[in-house]
Amino acid sequence: MFYVVTYDVATDTKEGQRRLRRVAQACEGYGQRVQKSVFECVLDQTRYVELVHRLGGVIRRDEDSVRIYRTQDFTRNSLVVLGKDLGLHLDSPWTV
């Protein structure tokens, strides 16, 4: 399944700045950054649950926000990009 992960972490303290880095690092293990606080991910159910659990352990629910959108695909039929396209390119070979 395809997911878009967005986050807004309060960074007015050193702790908040540290959480922001930790959220980004968690997401990097599951998908590709397409904007500063946006990742595109292709995950099975197990990896999705892992990501949600990991992010839940990093953020402060009273200060931060993580939004995860499930979508059918990231093809050109369902996506409009204005400007530089940094997203997943599922029609080309992946390098791991």
PDB file of all heavy atoms in Angstrom, residues 41-69:
ATOM      1  N   CYS A  41       5.864   6.575   1.026  1.00  0.00           N
ATOM      2  CA  CYS A  41       6.277   5.241   1.469  1.00  0.00           C
ATOM      3  C   CYS A  41       5.440   4.174   0.777  1.00  0.00           C
ATOM      4  O   CYS A  41       4.246   4.369   0.543  1.00  0.00           O
ATOM      5  CB  CYS A  41       6.074   5.095   2.973  1.00  0.00           C
ATOM      6  SG  CYS A  41       6.821   6.397   3.975  1.00  0.00           S
ATOM      7  N   VAL A  42       6.072   3.051   0.488  1.00  0.00           N
ATOM      8  CA  VAL A  42       5.377   1.862   0.012  1.00  0.00           C
ATOM      9  C   VAL A  42       5.597   0.816   1.098  1.00  0.00           C
ATOM     10  O   VAL A  42       6.719   0.355   1.299  1.00  0.00           O
ATOM     11  CB  VAL A  42       5.929   1.383  -1.345  1.00  0.00           C
ATOM     12  CG1 VAL A  42       5.195   0.148  -1.811  1.00  0.00           C
ATOM     13  CG2 VAL A  42       5.846   2.494  -2.384  1.00  0.00           C
ATOM     14  N   LEU A  43       4.519   0.459   1.819  1.00  0.00           N
ATOM     15  CA  LEU A  43       4.644  -0.386   2.996  1.00  0.00           C
ATOM     16  C   LEU A  43       3.618  -1.510   2.992  1.00  0.00           C
ATOM     17  O   LEU A  43       2.479  -1.300   2.569  1.00  0.00           O
ATOM     18  CB  LEU A  43       4.412   0.444   4.270  1.00  0.00           C
ATOM     19  CG  LEU A  43       5.255   1.704   4.453  1.00  0.00           C
ATOM     20  CD1 LEU A  43       4.743   2.507   5.630  1.00  0.00           C
ATOM     21  CD2 LEU A  43       6.708   1.328   4.645  1.00  0.00           C
ATOM     22  N   ASP A  44       4.013  -2.669   3.497  1.00  0.00           N
ATOM     23  CA  ASP A  44       3.024  -3.693   3.788  1.00  0.00           C
ATOM     24  C   ASP A  44       2.457  -3.403   5.175  1.00  0.00           C
ATOM     25  O   ASP A  44       2.897  -2.468   5.857  1.00  0.00           O
ATOM     26  CB  ASP A  44       3.629  -5.099   3.682  1.00  0.00           C
ATOM     27  CG  ASP A  44       4.768  -5.353   4.666  1.00  0.00           C
ATOM     28  OD1 ASP A  44       4.896  -4.623   5.673  1.00  0.00           O
ATOM     29  OD2 ASP A  44       5.545  -6.283   4.427  1.00  0.00           O
ATOM     30  N   GLN A  45       1.490  -4.192   5.618  1.00  0.00           N
ATOM     31  CA  GLN A  45       0.816  -3.914   6.886  1.00  0.00           C
ATOM     32  C   GLN A  45       1.787  -3.936   8.069  1.00  0.00           C
ATOM     33  O   GLN A  45       1.710  -3.094   8.960  1.00  0.00           O
ATOM     34  CB  GLN A  45      -0.320  -4.928   7.115  1.00  0.00           C
ATOM     35  CG  GLN A  45      -1.121  -4.671   8.363  1.00  0.00           C
ATOM     36  CD  GLN A  45      -1.895  -3.357   8.326  1.00  0.00           C
ATOM     37  OE1 GLN A  45      -2.215  -2.841   7.272  1.00  0.00           O
ATOM     38  NE2 GLN A  45      -2.194  -2.826   9.497  1.00  0.00           N
ATOM     39  N   THR A  46       2.714  -4.877   8.068  1.00  0.00           N
ATOM     40  CA  THR A  46       3.673  -4.995   9.171  1.00  0.00           C
ATOM     41  C   THR A  46       4.547  -3.752   9.272  1.00  0.00           C
ATOM     42  O   THR A  46       4.726  -3.186  10.356  1.00  0.00           O
ATOM     43  CB  THR A  46       4.553  -6.249   8.992  1.00  0.00           C
ATOM     44  OG1 THR A  46       3.705  -7.396   8.943  1.00  0.00           O
ATOM     45  CG2 THR A  46       5.563  -6.382  10.111  1.00  0.00           C
ATOM     46  N   ARG A  47       5.083  -3.305   8.143  1.00  0.00           N
ATOM     47  CA  ARG A  47       5.955  -2.117   8.152  1.00  0.00           C
ATOM     48  C   ARG A  47       5.160  -0.863   8.503  1.00  0.00           C
ATOM     49  O   ARG A  47       5.669   0.028   9.166  1.00  0.00           O
ATOM     50  CB  ARG A  47       6.641  -1.954   6.795  1.00  0.00           C
ATOM     51  CG  ARG A  47       7.512  -3.110   6.388  1.00  0.00           C
ATOM     52  CD  ARG A  47       8.959  -2.992   6.699  1.00  0.00           C
ATOM     53  NE  ARG A  47       9.549  -1.860   6.011  1.00  0.00           N
ATOM     54  CZ  ARG A  47      10.623  -1.214   6.489  1.00  0.00           C
ATOM     55  NH1 ARG A  47      11.193  -1.587   7.595  1.00  0.00           N
ATOM     56  NH2 ARG A  47      11.128  -0.203   5.841  1.00  0.00           N
ATOM     57  N   TYR A  48       3.913  -0.792   8.064  1.00  0.00           N
ATOM     58  CA  TYR A  48       3.057   0.337   8.422  1.00  0.00           C
ATOM     59  C   TYR A  48       2.875   0.413   9.941  1.00  0.00           C
ATOM     60  O   TYR A  48       3.044   1.472  10.546  1.00  0.00           O
ATOM     61  CB  TYR A  48       1.701   0.216   7.723  1.00  0.00           C
ATOM     62  CG  TYR A  48       0.681   1.202   8.222  1.00  0.00           C
ATOM     63  CD1 TYR A  48       0.742   2.543   7.847  1.00  0.00           C
ATOM     64  CD2 TYR A  48      -0.328   0.801   9.091  1.00  0.00           C
ATOM     65  CE1 TYR A  48      -0.192   3.455   8.323  1.00  0.00           C
ATOM     66  CE2 TYR A  48      -1.256   1.700   9.560  1.00  0.00           C
ATOM     67  CZ  TYR A  48      -1.184   3.029   9.173  1.00  0.00           C
ATOM     68  OH  TYR A  48      -2.098   3.932   9.651  1.00  0.00           O
ATOM     69  N   VAL A  49       2.567  -0.710  10.561  1.00  0.00           N
ATOM     70  CA  VAL A  49       2.380  -0.747  12.016  1.00  0.00           C
ATOM     71  C   VAL A  49       3.679  -0.375  12.725  1.00  0.00           C
ATOM     72  O   VAL A  49       3.671   0.377  13.706  1.00  0.00           O
ATOM     73  CB  VAL A  49       1.854  -2.129  12.465  1.00  0.00           C
ATOM     74  CG1 VAL A  49       1.872  -2.261  13.978  1.00  0.00           C
ATOM     75  CG2 VAL A  49       0.464  -2.364  11.914  1.00  0.00           C
ATOM     76  N   GLU A  50       4.811  -0.872  12.222  1.00  0.00           N
ATOM     77  CA  GLU A  50       6.117  -0.514  12.798  1.00  0.00           C
ATOM     78  C   GLU A  50       6.343   0.993  12.754  1.00  0.00           C
ATOM     79  O   GLU A  50       6.771   1.597  13.743  1.00  0.00           O
ATOM     80  CB  GLU A  50       7.244  -1.197  12.034  1.00  0.00           C
ATOM     81  CG  GLU A  50       7.383  -2.661  12.241  1.00  0.00           C
ATOM     82  CD  GLU A  50       8.437  -3.269  11.321  1.00  0.00           C
ATOM     83  OE1 GLU A  50       9.085  -2.531  10.536  1.00  0.00           O
ATOM     84  OE2 GLU A  50       8.602  -4.489  11.370  1.00  0.00           O
ATOM     85  N   LEU A  51       6.065   1.596  11.593  1.00  0.00           N
ATOM     86  CA  LEU A  51       6.274   3.036  11.435  1.00  0.00           C
ATOM     87  C   LEU A  51       5.385   3.827  12.388  1.00  0.00           C
ATOM     88  O   LEU A  51       5.854   4.745  13.065  1.00  0.00           O
ATOM     89  CB  LEU A  51       6.017   3.459   9.986  1.00  0.00           C
ATOM     90  CG  LEU A  51       6.105   4.955   9.709  1.00  0.00           C
ATOM     91  CD1 LEU A  51       7.492   5.503  10.025  1.00  0.00           C
ATOM     92  CD2 LEU A  51       5.721   5.249   8.260  1.00  0.00           C
ATOM     93  N   VAL A  52       4.113   3.472  12.456  1.00  0.00           N
ATOM     94  CA  VAL A  52       3.187   4.183  13.347  1.00  0.00           C
ATOM     95  C   VAL A  52       3.657   4.065  14.792  1.00  0.00           C
ATOM     96  O   VAL A  52       3.682   5.052  15.544  1.00  0.00           O
ATOM     97  CB  VAL A  52       1.752   3.653  13.177  1.00  0.00           C
ATOM     98  CG1 VAL A  52       0.835   4.203  14.250  1.00  0.00           C
ATOM     99  CG2 VAL A  52       1.222   3.996  11.791  1.00  0.00           C
ATOM    100  N   HIS A  53       4.058   2.872  15.194  1.00  0.00           N
ATOM    101  CA  HIS A  53       4.542   2.663  16.560  1.00  0.00           C
ATOM    102  C   HIS A  53       5.802   3.487  16.829  1.00  0.00           C
ATOM    103  O   HIS A  53       5.934   4.125  17.877  1.00  0.00           O
ATOM    104  CB  HIS A  53       4.806   1.175  16.794  1.00  0.00           C
ATOM    105  CG  HIS A  53       5.319   0.873  18.158  1.00  0.00           C
ATOM    106  ND1 HIS A  53       4.523   0.901  19.277  1.00  0.00           N
ATOM    107  CD2 HIS A  53       6.557   0.544  18.586  1.00  0.00           C
ATOM    108  CE1 HIS A  53       5.255   0.621  20.343  1.00  0.00           C
ATOM    109  NE2 HIS A  53       6.491   0.380  19.946  1.00  0.00           N
ATOM    110  N   ARG A  54       6.713   3.470  15.879  1.00  0.00           N
ATOM    111  CA  ARG A  54       7.977   4.213  16.053  1.00  0.00           C
ATOM    112  C   ARG A  54       7.722   5.715  16.149  1.00  0.00           C
ATOM    113  O   ARG A  54       8.273   6.384  17.026  1.00  0.00           O
ATOM    114  CB  ARG A  54       8.909   3.895  14.883  1.00  0.00           C
ATOM    115  CG  ARG A  54      10.275   4.445  15.052  1.00  0.00           C
ATOM    116  CD  ARG A  54      11.246   3.851  14.080  1.00  0.00           C
ATOM    117  NE  ARG A  54      12.538   4.496  14.234  1.00  0.00           N
ATOM    118  CZ  ARG A  54      13.527   4.389  13.377  1.00  0.00           C
ATOM    119  NH1 ARG A  54      13.376   3.630  12.311  1.00  0.00           N
ATOM    120  NH2 ARG A  54      14.647   5.011  13.576  1.00  0.00           N
ATOM    121  N   LEU A  55       6.887   6.244  15.267  1.00  0.00           N
ATOM    122  CA  LEU A  55       6.591   7.676  15.310  1.00  0.00           C
ATOM    123  C   LEU A  55       5.864   8.050  16.599  1.00  0.00           C
ATOM    124  O   LEU A  55       6.128   9.093  17.186  1.00  0.00           O
ATOM    125  CB  LEU A  55       5.761   8.081  14.094  1.00  0.00           C
ATOM    126  CG  LEU A  55       6.496   8.031  12.757  1.00  0.00           C
ATOM    127  CD1 LEU A  55       5.528   8.260  11.606  1.00  0.00           C
ATOM    128  CD2 LEU A  55       7.633   9.040  12.723  1.00  0.00           C
ATOM    129  N   GLY A  56       4.947   7.180  17.027  1.00  0.00           N
ATOM    130  CA  GLY A  56       4.221   7.442  18.267  1.00  0.00           C
ATOM    131  C   GLY A  56       5.134   7.511  19.474  1.00  0.00           C
ATOM    132  O   GLY A  56       4.840   8.221  20.439  1.00  0.00           O
ATOM    133  N   GLY A  57       6.249   6.802  19.419  1.00  0.00           N
ATOM    134  CA  GLY A  57       7.213   6.834  20.510  1.00  0.00           C
ATOM    135  C   GLY A  57       8.129   8.036  20.483  1.00  0.00           C
ATOM    136  O   GLY A  57       8.834   8.299  21.460  1.00  0.00           O
ATOM    137  N   VAL A  58       8.132   8.779  19.392  1.00  0.00           N
ATOM    138  CA  VAL A  58       9.025   9.930  19.252  1.00  0.00           C
ATOM    139  C   VAL A  58       8.308  11.249  19.557  1.00  0.00           C
ATOM    140  O   VAL A  58       8.858  12.111  20.238  1.00  0.00           O
ATOM    141  CB  VAL A  58       9.615   9.988  17.823  1.00  0.00           C
ATOM    142  CG1 VAL A  58      10.389  11.276  17.602  1.00  0.00           C
ATOM    143  CG2 VAL A  58      10.492   8.780  17.552  1.00  0.00           C
ATOM    144  N   ILE A  59       7.101  11.409  19.058  1.00  0.00           N
ATOM    145  CA  ILE A  59       6.436  12.712  19.150  1.00  0.00           C
ATOM    146  C   ILE A  59       5.838  12.950  20.537  1.00  0.00           C
ATOM    147  O   ILE A  59       5.633  12.022  21.311  1.00  0.00           O
ATOM    148  CB  ILE A  59       5.329  12.866  18.086  1.00  0.00           C
ATOM    149  CG1 ILE A  59       4.174  11.897  18.355  1.00  0.00           C
ATOM    150  CG2 ILE A  59       5.896  12.709  16.686  1.00  0.00           C
ATOM    151  CD1 ILE A  59       2.925  12.223  17.562  1.00  0.00           C
ATOM    152  N   ARG A  60       5.563  14.218  20.804  1.00  0.00           N
ATOM    153  CA  ARG A  60       4.759  14.613  21.967  1.00  0.00           C
ATOM    154  C   ARG A  60       3.374  14.919  21.428  1.00  0.00           C
ATOM    155  O   ARG A  60       3.195  15.868  20.677  1.00  0.00           O
ATOM    156  CB  ARG A  60       5.346  15.841  22.647  1.00  0.00           C
ATOM    157  CG  ARG A  60       6.580  15.519  23.442  1.00  0.00           C
ATOM    158  CD  ARG A  60       6.946  16.591  24.387  1.00  0.00           C
ATOM    159  NE  ARG A  60       5.794  16.974  25.222  1.00  0.00           N
ATOM    160  CZ  ARG A  60       5.863  17.863  26.189  1.00  0.00           C
ATOM    161  NH1 ARG A  60       6.999  18.462  26.451  1.00  0.00           N
ATOM    162  NH2 ARG A  60       4.797  18.167  26.891  1.00  0.00           N
ATOM    163  N   ARG A  61       2.415  14.116  21.813  1.00  0.00           N
ATOM    164  CA  ARG A  61       1.064  14.229  21.251  1.00  0.00           C
ATOM    165  C   ARG A  61       0.378  15.537  21.601  1.00  0.00           C
ATOM    166  O   ARG A  61      -0.549  15.941  20.904  1.00  0.00           O
ATOM    167  CB  ARG A  61       0.223  13.040  21.681  1.00  0.00           C
ATOM    168  CG  ARG A  61       0.735  11.743  21.066  1.00  0.00           C
ATOM    169  CD  ARG A  61       0.014  10.523  21.601  1.00  0.00           C
ATOM    170  NE  ARG A  61       0.689   9.314  21.165  1.00  0.00           N
ATOM    171  CZ  ARG A  61       0.284   8.586  20.147  1.00  0.00           C
ATOM    172  NH1 ARG A  61      -0.761   8.931  19.449  1.00  0.00           N
ATOM    173  NH2 ARG A  61       0.943   7.494  19.812  1.00  0.00           N
ATOM    174  N   ASP A  62       0.835  16.211  22.635  1.00  0.00           N
ATOM    175  CA  ASP A  62       0.240  17.494  22.998  1.00  0.00           C
ATOM    176  C   ASP A  62       0.862  18.674  22.254  1.00  0.00           C
ATOM    177  O   ASP A  62       0.347  19.783  22.317  1.00  0.00           O
ATOM    178  CB  ASP A  62       0.337  17.719  24.510  1.00  0.00           C
ATOM    179  CG  ASP A  62       1.770  17.734  25.018  1.00  0.00           C
ATOM    180  OD1 ASP A  62       2.629  17.051  24.420  1.00  0.00           O
ATOM    181  OD2 ASP A  62       2.037  18.426  26.022  1.00  0.00           O
ATOM    182  N   GLU A  63       1.970  18.432  21.526  1.00  0.00           N
ATOM    183  CA  GLU A  63       2.659  19.512  20.810  1.00  0.00           C
ATOM    184  C   GLU A  63       2.842  19.241  19.321  1.00  0.00           C
ATOM    185  O   GLU A  63       2.915  20.180  18.532  1.00  0.00           O
ATOM    186  CB  GLU A  63       4.045  19.757  21.414  1.00  0.00           C
ATOM    187  CG  GLU A  63       4.047  20.292  22.811  1.00  0.00           C
ATOM    188  CD  GLU A  63       5.450  20.591  23.301  1.00  0.00           C
ATOM    189  OE1 GLU A  63       6.362  20.756  22.458  1.00  0.00           O
ATOM    190  OE2 GLU A  63       5.636  20.669  24.523  1.00  0.00           O
ATOM    191  N   ASP A  64       2.976  17.993  18.932  1.00  0.00           N
ATOM    192  CA  ASP A  64       3.353  17.621  17.569  1.00  0.00           C
ATOM    193  C   ASP A  64       2.183  16.958  16.844  1.00  0.00           C
ATOM    194  O   ASP A  64       1.212  16.537  17.464  1.00  0.00           O
ATOM    195  CB  ASP A  64       4.538  16.646  17.595  1.00  0.00           C
ATOM    196  CG  ASP A  64       5.706  17.159  18.409  1.00  0.00           C
ATOM    197  OD1 ASP A  64       5.917  18.385  18.459  1.00  0.00           O
ATOM    198  OD2 ASP A  64       6.414  16.324  19.010  1.00  0.00           O
ATOM    199  N   SER A  65       2.334  16.849  15.530  1.00  0.00           N
ATOM    200  CA  SER A  65       1.305  16.217  14.715  1.00  0.00           C
ATOM    201  C   SER A  65       1.956  15.403  13.601  1.00  0.00           C
ATOM    202  O   SER A  65       2.874  15.886  12.932  1.00  0.00           O
ATOM    203  CB  SER A  65       0.396  17.286  14.102  1.00  0.00           C
ATOM    204  OG  SER A  65      -0.510  16.712  13.192  1.00  0.00           O
ATOM    205  N   VAL A  66       1.484  14.175  13.446  1.00  0.00           N
ATOM    206  CA  VAL A  66       1.870  13.335  12.310  1.00  0.00           C
ATOM    207  C   VAL A  66       0.577  12.919  11.616  1.00  0.00           C
ATOM    208  O   VAL A  66      -0.365  12.477  12.266  1.00  0.00           O
ATOM    209  CB  VAL A  66       2.646  12.076  12.756  1.00  0.00           C
ATOM    210  CG1 VAL A  66       2.906  11.158  11.569  1.00  0.00           C
ATOM    211  CG2 VAL A  66       3.945  12.454  13.432  1.00  0.00           C
ATOM    212  N   ARG A  67       0.541  13.098  10.305  1.00  0.00           N
ATOM    213  CA  ARG A  67      -0.626  12.686   9.512  1.00  0.00           C
ATOM    214  C   ARG A  67      -0.139  11.696   8.474  1.00  0.00           C
ATOM    215  O   ARG A  67       0.834  11.950   7.775  1.00  0.00           O
ATOM    216  CB  ARG A  67      -1.283  13.889   8.854  1.00  0.00           C
ATOM    217  CG  ARG A  67      -1.812  14.890   9.876  1.00  0.00           C
ATOM    218  CD  ARG A  67      -2.357  16.130   9.235  1.00  0.00           C
ATOM    219  NE  ARG A  67      -3.539  15.863   8.444  1.00  0.00           N
ATOM    220  CZ  ARG A  67      -4.790  16.035   8.869  1.00  0.00           C
ATOM    221  NH1 ARG A  67      -5.009  16.456  10.092  1.00  0.00           N
ATOM    222  NH2 ARG A  67      -5.802  15.790   8.087  1.00  0.00           N
ATOM    223  N   ILE A  68      -0.847  10.568   8.374  1.00  0.00           N
ATOM    224  CA  ILE A  68      -0.484   9.513   7.422  1.00  0.00           C
ATOM    225  C   ILE A  68      -1.678   9.275   6.515  1.00  0.00           C
ATOM    226  O   ILE A  68      -2.758   8.915   6.987  1.00  0.00           O
ATOM    227  CB  ILE A  68      -0.079   8.223   8.146  1.00  0.00           C
ATOM    228  CG1 ILE A  68       1.097   8.491   9.087  1.00  0.00           C
ATOM    229  CG2 ILE A  68       0.270   7.135   7.133  1.00  0.00           C
ATOM    230  CD1 ILE A  68       1.471   7.330   9.965  1.00  0.00           C
ATOM    231  N   TYR A  69      -1.474   9.499   5.229  1.00  0.00           N
ATOM    232  CA  TYR A  69      -2.529   9.314   4.230  1.00  0.00           C
ATOM    233  C   TYR A  69      -2.255   8.045   3.452  1.00  0.00           C
ATOM    234  O   TYR A  69      -1.146   7.839   2.969  1.00  0.00           O
ATOM    235  CB  TYR A  69      -2.568  10.494   3.260  1.00  0.00           C
ATOM    236  CG  TYR A  69      -2.837  11.817   3.917  1.00  0.00           C
ATOM    237  CD1 TYR A  69      -1.796  12.626   4.355  1.00  0.00           C
ATOM    238  CD2 TYR A  69      -4.144  12.264   4.096  1.00  0.00           C
ATOM    239  CE1 TYR A  69      -2.042  13.846   4.961  1.00  0.00           C
ATOM    240  CE2 TYR A  69      -4.396  13.491   4.694  1.00  0.00           C
ATOM    241  CZ  TYR A  69      -3.343  14.266   5.134  1.00  0.00           C
ATOM    242  OH  TYR A  69      -3.595  15.473   5.738  1.00  0.00           O
TER     243      TYR A  69
END
